[in-house]
Amino acid sequence: MERKKFYINLGSKEISQIKYDNNDEFTIYATTDEVQTLRYKLDNMNDADTRAFYRAHVPIMPYHNDESNDDYDNQITEAFRMVYELGDSVTKQHIESMGILSDHHM
């Protein structure tokens, strides 16, 4: 399958072939299937974030014992790993400089 250029903004969970505003936080080259997989990861990240938001209103449950926060952390790490693997050299350097994958194998 042919790889195409996509602009990624993980904060807004945006994937686009058209560069506009600040959607170009990262640049990747991916197949349609890879973009669908990344979209799935971003959707899972959003779901975990929503669960964590509601859980945050239950003060008796500490952060470190919260499955929804762990899910979010895992999903964002998976998304960063995938963006790193599909990213151009600038994207890879940016993610390396962030140190977000330093505890994990790249």
Side-chain angles (χ1 to χ4, degrees):
M1 287 186 122
E2 179 186 350
R3 290 180 184 264
K4 296 180 182 176
K5 185 176 189 176
F6 292 89
Y7 300 101
I8 309 297
N9 184 312
L10 290 178
S12 64
K13 299 166 191 71
E14 185 176 355
I15 302 171
S16 179
Q17 285 189 283
I18 300 167
K19 182 179 174 178
Y20 63 93
D21 282 343
N22 64 344
N23 75 334
D24 63 338
E25 180 179 26
F26 302 107
T27 302
I28 66 169
Y29 292 87
T31 64
T32 302
D33 289 344
E34 290 166 332
V35 168
Q36 288 175 346
T37 299
L38 181 58
R39 168 53 49 211
Y40 177 77
K41 290 178 186 294
L42 296 179
D43 289 346
N44 284 342
M45 193 173 85
N46 190 57
D47 291 345
D49 190 33
T50 300
R51 288 191 320 273
F53 171 79
Y54 287 112
R55 199 280 329 142
H57 294 87
V58 180
I60 61 170
M61 186 179 293
Y63 176 88
H64 62 281
N65 289 333
D66 184 13
E67 186 177 321
S68 58
N69 283 325
D70 292 342
D71 287 347
Y72 180 82
D73 292 346
N74 290 334
Q75 292 300 325
I76 195 166
T77 300
E78 284 186 31
F80 268 106
R81 182 174 290 114
M82 187 168 189
V83 169
Y84 179 87
E85 290 170 0
L86 299 172
D88 62 10
S89 61
V90 173
T91 291
K92 288 181 185 213
Q93 288 175 336
H94 185 156
I95 291 173
E96 287 171 5
S97 74
M98 295 170 69
I100 193 157
L101 299 177
S102 62
D103 293 340
H104 304 87
H105 293 53
M106 285 192 274

